[in-house]
Amino acid sequence: MKALVVYGTRPEAIKMCPLILEMKNKPEVECVVCLTGQHREMLDQVNGLFGITADYDLNIMQKGQSLADITSKVLQGLSRILDNEKPDVMLVHGDTTTSFAAALAAFYRDIPVGHVEAGLRTYNMKSPYPEEFNRQAVDLICDYYFAPTETAKENLLKEGKKENNIFVTGNTVIDALRTTVDDSFSDENI
């Protein structure tokens, strides 16, 4: 199975890097990593910490760009990658414009989408803006829902998502913490 993982911000990287490392340890999974560069310097720092090297980097960030600019650049950039890689599934994370645009690009090509951190809701499209729209729109598009909590799962069920496609996984930031903190760490001297 080939999984294309797309992310572009520091929070996405922190939460997706442990998943990427786990997939790279599975011989039955080919994990392809695509960065959008929505948060350039902070993104590079996190990837470096986890030892992740991207297979693709859209490098979309430009000073003063709008949400429409980000959306269109991600859609256009992913077109050639999806044509080249033909993944079996795309994984996106959370509530960013990168996640929304990437999920939309996959949807346009009938590629299944998995949403890590699915089901989080405020049910107020203006709070937070544009994140609430992005998370709901991604969940309309996706096929697999990786909910961090039972409450997130319940939100998805209320919205009519199939229970068999919802997996309560916990928050991957905990996995990031476990991956990066040295076993010898002690807080006795703090």
Side-chain angles (χ1 to χ4, degrees), residues 79-144:
S79 290
R80 64 180 171 75
I81 294 168
L82 293 172
D83 290 343
N84 184 47
E85 291 293 337
K86 297 177 179 32
D88 298 303
V89 66
M90 177 189 287
L91 297 177
V92 298
H93 179 277
D95 57 12
T96 67
T97 301
T98 284
S99 293
F100 164 66
L104 186 59
F107 175 76
Y108 285 163
R109 286 180 168 64
D110 199 27
I111 296 168
V113 176
H115 187 193
V116 178
E117 207 171 77
L120 298 181
R121 298 288 185 268
T122 66
Y123 292 109
N124 178 347
M125 287 296 182
K126 302 276 184 181
S127 179
Y129 176 85
E131 289 84 357
E132 181 65 12
F133 167 79
N134 290 339
R135 52 172 86 121
Q136 287 192 41
V138 171
D139 284 343
L140 284 173
I141 291 170
C142 77
D143 303 273
Y144 308 105

Side-chain angles (χ1 to χ4, degrees), residues 45-184:
Q45 290 170 347
V46 174
N47 284 333
L49 176 67
F50 286 92
I52 302 291
T53 302
D55 300 290
Y56 297 95
D57 189 340
L58 300 180
N59 200 25
I60 65 164
M61 203 58 201
Q62 291 183 351
K63 187 174 179 158
Q65 71 185 358
S66 69
L67 294 172
D69 293 331
I70 294 169
T71 303
S72 63
K73 287 177 185 178
V74 172
L75 280 169
Q76 290 172 354
L78 278 173
S79 290
R80 64 180 171 75
I81 294 168
L82 293 172
D83 290 343
N84 184 47
E85 291 293 337
K86 297 177 179 32
D88 298 303
V89 66
M90 177 189 287
L91 297 177
V92 298
H93 179 277
D95 57 12
T96 67
T97 301
T98 284
S99 293
F100 164 66
L104 186 59
F107 175 76
Y108 285 163
R109 286 180 168 64
D110 199 27
I111 296 168
V113 176
H115 187 193
V116 178
E117 207 171 77
L120 298 181
R121 298 288 185 268
T122 66
Y123 292 109
N124 178 347
M125 287 296 182
K126 302 276 184 181
S127 179
Y129 176 85
E131 289 84 357
E132 181 65 12
F133 167 79
N134 290 339
R135 52 172 86 121
Q136 287 192 41
V138 171
D139 284 343
L140 284 173
I141 291 170
C142 77
D143 303 273
Y144 308 105
Y145 308 89
F146 303 103
T149 66
E150 288 293 332
T151 300
K153 176 183 178 179
E154 290 303 316
N155 290 339
L156 293 164
L157 290 172
K158 283 187 244 174
E159 295 168 8
K161 310 301 188 257
K162 295 178 185 173
E163 187 166 12
N164 289 346
N165 293 6
I166 302 170
F167 308 89
V168 178
T169 59
N171 190 329
T172 55
V173 79
I174 302 302
D175 299 317
L177 181 64
R178 288 182 178 139
T179 302
T180 57
V181 173
D182 188 297
D183 289 337
S184 66

